[in-house]
Amino acid sequence: EVQLVESGGGLVQAAGSLRLSCVASASTFEDYAIGWFRQAPGKEREGVSCIKRSGDGIWYTNSVKGRFFISSDSPKKTVYLQMNNLRLEDTAIYYCAAGLDRGVLPCPPKFDSWGQGTQVTVTS
């Protein structure tokens, strides 16, 4: 099982930027795809972005395309989510999750490990 720790959340004005980090503690980090999810108050959790272990398969939900960018640094066992041009509706708790990367799609069908989340608040 992978243990995940997110960081980088905070308070930012609309149109600003934040970079979230997800650090994994697992000797088999290279076996996992990583996903970023978010949950706003009163709303269901939604997938934001995924990246395959090789880094060559990436997915974004439509609402963040062109604004958010996911990347992976394998030696550091870290996945980043660069968030630009933030909007009020991006306010949420952001979680990273890991699932075994066994398929061709960026997002694995199942995520087995989750971080504790980091709060992102966008103000006007």
Side-chain angles (χ1 to χ4, degrees):
E1 184 174 320
V2 181
Q3 293 185 331
L4 304 170
V5 178
E6 305 97 333
S7 63
L11 192 67
V12 63
Q13 285 190 324
S17 297
L18 283 175
R19 188 178 77 159
L20 305 183
S21 299
C22 173
V23 180
S25 59
S27 60
T28 56
F29 174 73
E30 292 76 15
D31 292 341
Y32 292 87
I34 301 295
W36 282 98
F37 295 79
R38 65 187 179 185
Q39 187 164 21
K43 295 188 177 181
E44 293 186 355
R45 184 177 63 199
E46 67 168 338
V48 176
S49 181
C50 295
I51 186 168
K52 288 182 66 65
R53 58 181 174 169
S54 60
D56 61 354
I58 290 175
W59 170 85
Y60 299 101
T61 191
N62 285 339
S63 63
V64 307
K65 285 181 180 178
R67 301 187 299 122
F68 290 13
F69 300 94
I70 192 170
S71 61
S72 178
D73 186 337
S74 291
K76 294 183 178 180
K77 299 183 180 179
T78 301
V79 171
Y80 303 99
L81 185 68
Q82 177 67 42
M83 306 188 297
N84 301 324
N85 192 19
L86 283 160
R87 303 169 180 170
L88 297 179
E89 55 265 35
D90 295 319
T91 294
I93 299 175
Y94 284 72
Y95 301 89
C96 65
L100 288 173
D101 187 359
R102 299 194 184 281
V104 297
L105 297 177
C107 299
K110 181 182 178 184
F111 289 90
D112 301 302
S113 302
W114 293 80
Q116 83 289 349
T118 185
Q119 176 71 48
V120 172
T121 302
V122 184
T123 63
S124 59

